[in-house]
């Protein structure tokens, strides 16, 4: 093919042999009023993922090199596809790519394959590549921010960089190159550091508080208050502090993954509370009444 059609280098080849292509659906064709100069446009059956021969439409400038109904083999997404030319686009057919008008004269147009349940199909990984959309137009009653949240959540589940809806900003850790197992390791270390710091801080603060209130606790014990009651009040205080931390953790979890795992957070908070309670409990049980009351401290 002439150099004017060459779009780049195909992986593993030293000479330019890649050609620009685009996947479109019926909405795209209708929205931009795409027409053919010869042959036809895609029909409903052309989008079927089970087709053995993939129908393609060539840009206007390919007319001198191919014929209608001609069978050609195309390497697409790392797979060799058997394709059939069903039409040639009208001259200077174009679409808006979000930034400028783009002509289709030198493009190979593929149908955007459709499937009800991708996981029920053979070669589901390759189908994900064929169904992949890096840009496009959608119509929805949802707000742009809601759509962005859905994209971000699903992308993080698949360990891919989240798609960005134009005009909408969204926070996700993969913007720093953290994803998959690497992201899980970072979050695990982060959680471990938080747990250690919280355990140390809560325990230290409560031991200091007990040290300052030894005389008060001594008087309470001398007047019949059981140590178990004092320990219970300290435990409730720890649970209250961790409850606030739990709310903050839930908010942080929602910001990162758009999901709140309540059972995990509850187990984490409950375990941290029990561990934080051990040092203050030991301090209360070690209070000596005679020395504490006589010393007044």
């Amino acid at each position: 093919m002439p150099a004017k059609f060459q779009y780049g280098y195909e992986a593993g080849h030293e000479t330019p042999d890649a050609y620009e292509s685009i996947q479109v659906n019926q909405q795209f064709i209708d929205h931009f009023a795409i027409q053919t100069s010869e042959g036809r446009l895609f029909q409903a059956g052309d989008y079927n993922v089970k087709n053995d021969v993939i129908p393609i439409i060539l840009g206007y400038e390919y007319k001198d090199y191919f014929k209608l109904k001609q069978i050609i083999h195309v390497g697409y997404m790392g797979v060799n596809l058997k394709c059939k030319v069903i039409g040639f686009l009208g001259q200077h057919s174009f679409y808006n790519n979000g930034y400028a008008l783009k002509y289709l004269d030198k493009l190979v147009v593929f149908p955007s394959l459709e499937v009800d349940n991708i996981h029920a199909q053979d070669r589901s990984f390759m189908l994900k590549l064929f169904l992949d959309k890096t840009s496009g137009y959608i119509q929805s009653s949802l707000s742009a921010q809601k759509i962005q949240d859905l994209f971000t959540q699903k992308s993080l589940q698949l360990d891919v960089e989240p798609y960005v809806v134009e005009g909408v900003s969204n926070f996700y850790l993969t913007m720093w190159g953290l994803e998959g197992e690497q992201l899980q390791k970072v979050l695990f270390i982060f959680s471990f550091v938080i747990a250690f710091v919280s355990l140390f801080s809560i325990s230290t603060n409560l031991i200091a508080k007990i040290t300052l209130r030894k005389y008060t606790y001594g008087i309470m014990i001398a007047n019949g208050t059981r140590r178990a009651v004092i320990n219970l009040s300290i435990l409730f205080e720890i649970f209250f502090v961790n409850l606030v931390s739990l709310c903050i953790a839930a908010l942080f979890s929602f910001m990162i993954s758009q999901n709140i795992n309540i059972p995990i957070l509850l187990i984490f908070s409950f375990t941290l509370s029990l561990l934080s309670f051990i040092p203050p409990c030991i301090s209360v049980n070690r209070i000596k009444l005679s020395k504490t009351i006589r010393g007044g401290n």
Side-chain angles (χ1 to χ4, degrees), residues 17 41 64 78 86 94 103 116 133 136 163 190 193 204 215-216 220 222 243 245 255 264 266 269 287-288 295 297:
D17 60 352
L41 294 171
D64 296 333
I86 64 170
F94 66 90
Y103 287 111
D116 294 330
K133 303 295 184 299
Y163 295 107
F190 189 51
V193 171
T204 302
Y215 180 75
T216 303
M220 292 172 62
L243 178 62
S245 301
M255 290 175 57
I264 295 298
L266 285 175
S269 180
I287 294 177
K288 297 181 180 180
N297 55 46

Side-chain angles (χ1 to χ4, degrees), residues 163-184:
Y163 295 107
V164 178
V165 177
E166 185 176 357
V168 179
S169 61
N170 208 41
F171 173 79
Y172 48 86
L173 288 178
T174 52
M175 66 174 62
W176 298 330
L178 300 175
E179 56 186 71
E181 294 183 359
Q182 184 181 13
L183 177 59
Q184 292 180 1

Side-chain angles (χ1 to χ4, degrees), residues 2 11 31 46 53-55 65 69 79-80 91 100-101 131 137 148 166 170 195 201 219 232 258 274 292 294:
H31 183 78
D46 296 328
V53 179
I54 306 297
Y65 305 94
K69 299 182 180 181
V79 176
N80 292 322
Q91 188 175 20
L101 297 182
L131 293 167
Y137 297 85
Q148 178 66 78
E166 185 176 357
N170 208 41
S201 300
I219 295 297
L232 189 60
Q258 307 298 313
L274 292 180
T292 299
R294 289 177 183 176

Side-chain angles (χ1 to χ4, degrees), residues 106-117:
K106 300 177 184 178
L107 267 66
V108 179
V109 184
F110 285 85
S112 179
L113 303 180
E114 298 176 353
V115 60
D116 294 330
N117 181 7

